[in-house]
Amino acid sequence: MTSSPSFVSLGSKVWVDHELRFFAHLEEVYITSLTVMGNSIEDDSFSKPVGRWSVYCYGVGHMLNDITSACWFTYLLLFLTEIGLSSRDAAIVMLSGQIADGLATICFGELIDRFGHFKIWHGAGSILVAVSFSSVFGGCLPCKVLSSFSLMVETVSYSTFAAIFNVGWAATQVSHMSMVSCITLNSTSRVVLSSCRNAFTMVANLSLYGIAYIVFEVIKAKTHTDIENQYRWIAYLSIFIGCCFVGIFHLGTNEPSSKTGIHGNILARISWSYWFLKVLYYQVALVYMLTRLVLNVSQAYLAFYVIDDLRMVQSAKALVPAIIYISSFIVSLLLQEIAWNEKRLKAYYTIGGILWVFCGIAIVLLPQSMSLFVYVISIFIGIANALMTVTAVSMQNILIGQDLNGCAFVCGSLSFLDKISCGLTLFVLQSYHSSSPVVAGNVSSDYFSITRYGLGLVPAFCSLVGVAVTWTMELRSPLYKPLMETLLE
């Protein structure tokens, strides 16, 4: 019976094959269930409120950028004109840095979206900032090497170091800003992360102005060398403080993933055209650009206004900005405890914008005889800055939503508009700005100086336009968690 063994063998083979398929199916079901459970746990942890320690560690990550940026916008133009550069040459140095920053921002946005590794970009940028910033305020090194102190060599030297500094600054800024959307999908936690970052921006600025106040009091600027020593010490101490907080950020913040979606799926990189087809992208970009213009242009002309227009003491160019950032810091802390929604974002931005309009009018009309009133104006400027900054950045995070693989491009492109618009605005204003102080008693020049326009009218106009654009937005976020929830664990 030769057929029986063959039949039994065939039957056994078929039975074994069905058994293997059955167990393979069980294994597949088991693995799938584990994956779903794992994704569910990951989704829950990714959407729940972020812990306080994580928020604080993230918030200090931009301190080096913030403290050097405060020095850059507050004192660069003043420093360059005080050491002998013309207002136009000083504006060229500023513009070269802003252009380098804007272009680098776009490049880094694309590279971070493509390759990720936020902390590596952040660390590399921080190193470049620390090394180059001391050369911006540390005197003209190429002039000493070439034994030539001509205005052209000085302008080229300062412009080169300004560009290098801003390239590093852009790498740190884009990586840090875009991390918010990848750390959590919780929309309220994104707001609190932005608010905490803004609060530590105030700490950085206060640190700078505290340092500047002490330096201006201790080192009296009687010669060209004294002026350079003043700003050199300000730069060195600022870098030291900023680097300490960069270390805390890298030790306390985990590298977020920008490649995983809310269900554990690997997401394809989002093309630029995806954002260009969104109306909200242009609205948020315009509001963000106008908000940054308000902050940066006003900051750049504040020292000029205090010294040249109001004729206050030298220490006032540190004290007045400090008051602005104290009030901003307090408001930023209070904003962390608010449950946000669309109407509140728009309402708080509007309040900040309207406050700036009134402050701008007061700045233009304030006579020299009432110079002390600038301290009162500074309080309201600080409140307006905090309200506008926190809400503008939060609108940017709503724009990004769950499209995490495009977050760096959004942050980079918006920052590009910020840098280029700010550089061009300051260049135009500086082209008409006289470095010589106004003549005492000359009411016309006192009331209609470029400094007053730059500090008062330009921010007021930008605020008004920003408020108008804000109310045209539809900020309904597609996130599956509502905004009305606890901010922190």
Side-chain angles (χ1 to χ4, degrees):
M1 300 289 292
T2 58
S3 61
S4 296
S6 177
F7 176 78
V8 172
S9 175
L10 179 60
S12 299
K13 183 178 179 181
V14 171
W15 182 84
V16 170
D17 184 56
H18 280 291
E19 187 179 47
L20 289 175
R21 289 184 182 181
F22 174 73
F23 283 109
H25 177 68
L26 286 180
E27 183 181 11
E28 182 180 351
V29 171
Y30 176 70
I31 293 174
T32 302
S33 63
L34 288 179
T35 302
V36 171
M37 291 174 61
N39 289 339
S40 176
I41 295 172
E42 182 181 355
D43 290 350
D44 183 65
S45 63
F46 198 42
S47 61
K48 70 179 182 179
V50 178
R52 289 185 182 274
W53 175 248
S54 298
V55 170
Y56 293 145
C57 286
Y58 170 81
V60 303
H62 210 250
M63 282 279 288
L64 177 61
N65 265 27
D66 289 329
I67 198 168
T68 53
S69 175
C71 188
W72 170 269
F73 283 108
T74 305
Y75 297 126
L76 179 66
L77 294 177
L78 186 64
F79 164 68
L80 294 176
T81 53
E82 284 184 351
I83 63 173
L85 267 67
S86 66
S87 297
R88 190 176 184 84
D89 288 339
I92 290 174
V93 176
M94 173 71 79
L95 182 60
S96 66
Q98 294 301 108
I99 292 176
D101 193 348
L103 296 176
T105 295
I106 288 291
C107 294
F108 290 134
E110 174 66 14
L111 291 172
I112 291 172
D113 272 341
R114 186 182 295 269
F115 301 109
H117 302 294
F118 298 94
K119 292 178 67 176
I120 293 178
W121 291 104
H122 184 281
S126 298
I127 293 172
L128 198 57
V129 166
V131 172
S132 62
F133 187 69
S134 59
S135 299
V136 176
F137 287 93
C140 182
L141 182 61
C143 296
K144 298 175 183 177
V145 173
L146 299 175
S147 299
S148 174
F149 288 87
S150 66
L151 290 178
M152 179 176 291
V153 174
E154 285 188 327
T155 303
V156 172
S157 172
Y158 285 116
S159 298
T160 301
F161 283 113
I164 295 172
F165 160 69
N166 277 277
V167 168
W169 202 96
T172 305
Q173 183 203 32
V174 175
S175 59
H176 193 261
M177 285 182 66
S178 54
M179 282 180 72
V180 173
S181 299
C182 298
I183 289 176
T184 179
L185 282 178
N186 184 287
S187 48
T188 302
S189 288
R190 286 181 175 182
V191 175
V192 77
L193 285 167
S194 300
S195 183
C196 185
R197 168 189 160 131
N198 188 56
F200 278 105
T201 296
M202 309 311 157
V203 173
N205 282 270
L206 287 175
S207 301
L208 170 74
Y209 297 127
I211 293 170
Y213 182 84
I214 296 172
V215 170
F216 290 142
E217 285 291 315
V218 174
I219 304 176
K220 301 300 180 181
K222 298 178 180 179
T223 64
H224 184 281
T225 303
D226 291 336
I227 294 174
E228 287 190 344
N229 286 334
Q230 282 182 332
Y231 290 100
R232 184 180 293 114
W233 274 107
I234 292 173
Y236 290 164
L237 292 173
S238 299
I239 292 170
F240 174 76
I241 293 174
C243 287
C244 291
F245 285 101
V246 168
I248 295 174
F249 165 78
H250 279 274
L251 291 174
T253 306
N254 296 324
E255 175 71 41
S257 174
S258 63
K259 303 299 181 184
T260 305
I262 62 173
H263 298 297
N265 299 322
I266 302 301
L267 300 178
R269 195 170 59 88
I270 297 174
S271 68
W272 295 8
S273 59
Y274 171 81
W275 300 107
F276 293 151
L277 294 176
K278 283 179 171 281
V279 175
L280 185 60
Y281 172 81
Y282 297 99
Q283 294 170 320
V284 172
L286 184 57
V287 169
Y288 182 81
M289 181 189 74
L290 292 169
T291 303
R292 296 302 303 175
L293 275 175
V294 169
L295 270 65
N296 293 336
V297 174
S298 62
Q299 192 174 9
Y301 281 101
L302 187 61
F304 285 109
Y305 178 70
V306 168
I307 299 301
D308 291 346
D309 288 70
L310 300 183
R311 298 297 190 85
M312 302 178 73
V313 296
Q314 289 291 317
S315 58
K317 63 185 179 184
L319 187 57
V320 173
I323 292 175
I324 291 176
Y325 285 99
I326 288 174
S327 58
S328 288
F329 177 70
I330 294 172
V331 172
S332 295
L333 292 179
L334 295 176
L335 291 177
Q336 292 189 38
E337 303 305 324
I338 293 177
W340 293 95
N341 55 34
E342 178 185 7
K343 290 183 179 179
R344 286 182 179 177
L345 282 175
K346 291 181 178 181
Y348 278 79
Y349 187 90
T350 301
I351 293 172
I354 293 174
L355 274 177
W356 239 118
V357 171
F358 286 110
C359 290
I361 295 173
I363 287 169
V364 173
L365 300 179
L366 184 66
Q368 184 179 324
S369 59
M370 299 177 62
S371 60
L372 293 180
F373 191 69
V374 74
Y375 293 113
V376 178
I377 298 175
S378 299
I379 295 174
F380 289 100
I381 289 177
I383 296 172
N385 286 350
L387 291 173
M388 295 177 69
T389 301
V390 171
T391 50
V393 174
S394 300
M395 292 174 193
Q396 173 182 303
N397 291 327
I398 289 178
L399 167 65
I400 293 171
Q402 297 173 9
D403 299 321
L404 305 185
N405 279 16
C407 59
F409 169 75
V410 173
C411 296
S413 59
L414 266 58
S415 185
F416 171 79
L417 293 175
D418 154 34
K419 307 306 178 186
I420 298 301
S421 61
C422 178
L424 291 175
T425 301
L426 290 175
F427 180 79
V428 172
L429 290 172
Q430 278 295 102
S431 297
Y432 294 97
H433 182 261
S434 174
S435 58
S436 60
V438 295
V439 179
N442 188 336
V443 178
S444 177
S445 63
D446 187 33
Y447 271 75
F448 297 100
S449 65
I450 293 298
T451 300
R452 288 182 183 265
Y453 286 130
L455 181 60
L457 293 186
V458 172
F461 175 77
C462 292
S463 300
L464 199 59
V465 176
V467 169
V469 175
T470 297
W471 286 98
T472 66
M473 295 181 183
E474 291 186 7
L475 293 174
R476 295 179 180 85
S477 177
L479 300 184
Y480 51 89
K481 290 283 186 179
L483 286 171
M484 303 291 292
E485 55 187 71
T486 305
L487 286 175
L488 297 170
E489 289 181 325

